[in-house]
């Protein structure tokens, strides 16, 4: 169906009337320091958001025993007790339209050196039309957009004429297991919208790489530095292993290995030395060092093969004569994720792009991402058409992360109009909160 012009105007007026409320809603979420293992506050805030929309929140646990045989499962980093995903489901009086899932992750990456931020990372600050704070862009603004879009329909006097699921999940930043658990706990919908941020501009994801997380622990032989020639320096050995991955990175970025969806993207496959622990004392040859690696996987290259590549590479590097006498242990925890291509011709993507262009006055640009999103689960394992698009965010995972508030409002309007046309609408239920 095409939206009635009067209804379209009513929805746009409603979203405009909610802009100040949505900024405050975003601020409340940013104040929740929802790093790995600390997501409870943000999950509780999401439960309150669902209740404020007249929906009943439901907790969905992430159970590794139940998920371990699914091809999308990744080895967890920590236990899941006390941090269940939160979902809510709207059911219309009469199901006439197409169902829709609105999904977003509440977890954020660590803030890094907090002293480098202009304002504290979990104290939201609005400057020059942007909200600064860890998670403001990635991806709490997108979550606020889908909440506000649903509320705007009600303020316009209507509600969706199809089931609408809202999913607030954990661990998008390290495993995706929260998204997998929530997806499997709910019925398959006709489409999914995930308002992940754009890379400095509003964008719709056309493709994304896969990712493997690997951990290498090197145990050397400690000595006093006066006899360092007789020891094995674990830190130096770990550095040799980390450096060895650069040749692999170059190989994976050779033109013939790059999938067509990434043509024109400079260096799409990245290997990142993301964490390091090691050593005991400046005057001692260190005993042990541990490095954490994030290895990108090109679309079309199986994650299982990338894992085998890493195993072979670490074994080869461990045999280097410079590591003689060292013990090398390889573990895989965190992402074991496949790359994914999104269908840019699907009805949900075309509809979202049209409504964005009509309401924002510019095109929603395509983005082949050298990172990844939860969108892969719905596309790869359900065959559900997925529109992954979101507002202009800057410095995500970095210092002074921010999101453009005008861009967030553009995404809110887009989701509201898309939901209304995709699901159809019916008059607001008697007694429902407008």
């Amino acid at each position: 169906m095409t939206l009635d012009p009067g209804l379209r105007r009513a929805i746009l007026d409603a979203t405009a009337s909610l802009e100040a409320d949505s900024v405050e809603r975003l601020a409340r979420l940013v104040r929740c320091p929802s790093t790995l293992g600390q997501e409870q506050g943000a999950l509780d805030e999401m439960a309150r958001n669902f209740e404020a929309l007249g929906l009943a929140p439901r907790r969905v646990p992430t159970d590794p025993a139940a998920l371990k045989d699914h091809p999308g499962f990744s080895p967890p980093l920590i236990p899941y007790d006390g941090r269940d995903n939160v979902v809510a489901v709207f059911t219309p009086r009469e199901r006439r339209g197409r169902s829709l899932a609105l999904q977003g992750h509440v977890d954020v990456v660590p803030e890094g050196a907090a002293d480098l931020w202009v304002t504290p990372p979990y104290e939201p600050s609005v400057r020059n039309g942007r909200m600064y704070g860890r998670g403001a862009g990635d991806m709490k603004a997108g979550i606020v957009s889908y909440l506000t879009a649903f509320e705007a329909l009600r303020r316009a006097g209507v509600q969706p004429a199809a089931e609408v699921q809202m999913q607030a999940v954990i661990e998008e930043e390290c495993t995706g297991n929260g998204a997998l658990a929530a997806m499997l706990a709910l019925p398959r919908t006709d489409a999914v919208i995930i308002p992940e941020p754009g890379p400095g501009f509003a964008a719709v994801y056309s493709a994304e790489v896969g990712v493997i997380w690997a951990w290498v622990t090197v145990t050397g032989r400690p000595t006093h530095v006066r006899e360092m020639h007789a020891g094995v320096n674990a830190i130096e050995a770990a550095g040799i292993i980390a450096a060895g991955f650069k040749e692999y990175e170059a190989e994976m970025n050779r033109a013939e290995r790059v999938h067509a969806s990434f043509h024109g993207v400079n260096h799409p496959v990245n290997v990142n030395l993301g964490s390091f622990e090691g050593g005991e004392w400046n005057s001692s040859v260190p005993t042990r060092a541990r490095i954490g690696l994030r290895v990108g996987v090109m679309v079309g290259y199986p994650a299982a093969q990338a894992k085998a590549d890493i195993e072979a590479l670490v074994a080869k590097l461990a045999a280097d004569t410079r590591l003689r006498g060292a013990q090398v242990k390889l573990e895989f925890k965190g992402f074991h994720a496949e790359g994914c291509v999104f269908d840019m011709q699907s009805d949900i993507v075309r509809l979202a792009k049209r409504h964005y262009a009509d309401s924002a006055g510019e095109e929603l640009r395509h983005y082949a991402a050298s990172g990844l999103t939860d969108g892969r689960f719905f596309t790869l394992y359900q065959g559900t058409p997925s529109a992954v698009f979101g507002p202009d965010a800057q410095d995500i995972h970095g210092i002074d992360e921010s999101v453009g508030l005008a861009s967030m409002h553009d995404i809110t309007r887009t989701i509201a109009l898309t939901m209304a046309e995709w699901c159809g609408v019916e008059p607001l239920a008697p007694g429902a909160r407008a």
Side-chain angles (χ1 to χ4, degrees):
M1 84 174 225
T2 301
L3 286 182
D4 173 81
L7 175 60
R8 183 179 184 277
R9 173 46 53 195
I11 292 172
L12 291 176
D13 288 345
T15 58
S17 72
L18 290 167
E19 287 184 359
D21 290 344
S22 69
V23 173
E24 180 51 39
R25 180 177 273 154
L26 176 57
R28 289 195 300 271
L29 273 174
V30 171
R31 290 190 185 100
C32 300
S34 48
T35 51
L36 178 64
Q38 304 299 317
E39 306 96 336
Q40 298 92 336
L43 292 165
D44 290 343
E45 181 64 24
M46 286 304 299
R48 287 189 287 271
N49 279 317
F50 293 152
E51 289 172 342
L53 296 177
L55 304 175
R58 168 188 162 196
R59 301 284 176 157
V60 175
T62 306
D63 180 2
L67 301 175
K68 64 182 178 60
D69 294 327
H70 193 283
F73 178 69
S74 293
L77 297 167
I78 64 173
Y80 289 104
D81 298 339
R83 50 195 193 102
D84 293 344
N85 309 285
V86 183
V87 303
V89 178
F90 166 80
T91 303
R93 291 192 302 279
E94 181 183 354
R95 301 186 187 206
R96 294 182 290 103
R98 293 171 288 185
S99 59
L100 181 66
L102 302 169
Q103 195 259 33
H105 67 90
V106 301
D107 57 306
V108 302
V109 302
E111 63 273 16
D115 61 295
L116 296 181
W117 289 66
V118 172
T119 51
Y122 299 108
E123 184 51 51
S125 172
V126 176
R127 306 193 296 273
N128 299 319
R130 306 188 67 84
M131 181 178 288
Y132 290 80
R134 174 58 85 228
D138 188 15
M139 64 165 289
K140 292 176 178 178
I143 290 175
V144 166
S145 284
Y146 82 58
L147 293 168
T148 307
F150 187 86
E151 185 177 6
L153 263 62
R154 290 192 161 181
R155 184 164 288 196
V158 297
Q159 60 189 20
E163 179 179 291
V164 174
Q165 300 174 5
M166 298 188 194
Q167 305 176 20
V169 303
I170 63 170
E171 290 202 2
E172 187 269 357
E173 300 287 5
C174 60
T175 67
N177 290 339
L180 179 60
M183 182 187 78
L184 295 176
L186 295 169
R188 180 186 181 277
T189 55
D190 293 315
V192 179
I193 289 176
I194 302 178
E196 277 279 7
F201 53 84
V204 57
Y205 286 63
S206 57
E208 61 185 42
V209 300
V211 169
I212 297 282
W213 272 18
W215 307 81
V216 181
T217 302
V218 179
T219 302
R221 185 168 63 251
T223 65
H224 191 287
V225 292
R226 66 190 181 191
E227 290 114 19
M228 62 184 298
H229 60 280
V232 177
N233 189 309
I235 289 177
E236 292 178 358
I240 291 169
I241 290 176
F245 274 85
K246 285 302 172 183
E247 184 177 334
Y248 176 78
E249 180 184 60
E251 171 66 23
M252 291 297 106
N253 280 292
R254 285 172 50 188
E256 62 268 29
R257 289 187 175 274
V258 175
H259 190 272
S261 58
F262 281 87
H263 286 175
V265 177
N266 182 41
H267 208 279
V269 177
N270 296 305
V271 176
N272 184 55
L273 174 57
S275 65
F276 179 87
E277 307 166 42
E280 303 90 31
W281 191 251
N282 285 13
S283 292
S284 299
V285 172
T287 307
R288 186 167 285 133
R290 184 174 189 250
I291 56 176
L293 294 156
R294 181 267 200 199
V295 181
V297 182
M298 178 47 60
V299 170
Y301 197 78
Q305 182 58 57
K307 180 181 177 183
D309 292 348
I310 294 167
E311 290 170 332
L313 179 56
V314 170
K316 175 184 175 182
L317 293 166
D320 189 300
T321 56
R322 292 171 294 174
L323 273 69
R324 185 172 295 155
Q327 300 173 40
V328 178
K329 177 183 177 182
L330 172 63
E331 300 174 281
F332 294 94
K333 294 182 179 181
F335 282 125
H336 181 100
E338 306 286 351
C340 176
V341 175
F342 299 105
D343 182 3
M344 293 292 98
Q345 298 305 312
S346 68
D347 288 347
I348 190 67
V349 170
R350 289 160 64 96
L351 190 59
K353 289 176 64 178
R354 172 162 60 82
H355 282 304
Y356 183 84
D358 289 347
S359 61
E362 62 181 16
E363 296 296 319
L364 198 56
R365 293 159 61 180
H366 288 196
Y367 175 45
S370 54
L372 79 174
T373 73
D374 284 335
R376 69 187 183 279
F377 293 106
F378 300 95
T379 298
L380 295 176
Y381 307 118
Q382 275 196 336
T384 305
S386 304
V388 182
F389 65 93
D392 146 34
Q394 295 177 1
D395 295 311
I396 65 173
H397 293 217
I399 302 299
D400 290 332
E401 174 182 351
S402 71
V403 66
L405 294 176
S407 182
M408 180 180 77
H409 301 322
D410 286 340
I411 297 301
T412 299
R413 288 191 290 271
T414 302
I415 295 175
L417 294 169
T418 301
M419 182 171 16
E421 186 166 342
W422 181 265
C423 300
V425 296
E426 61 185 16
L428 197 62
R433 192 178 311 166

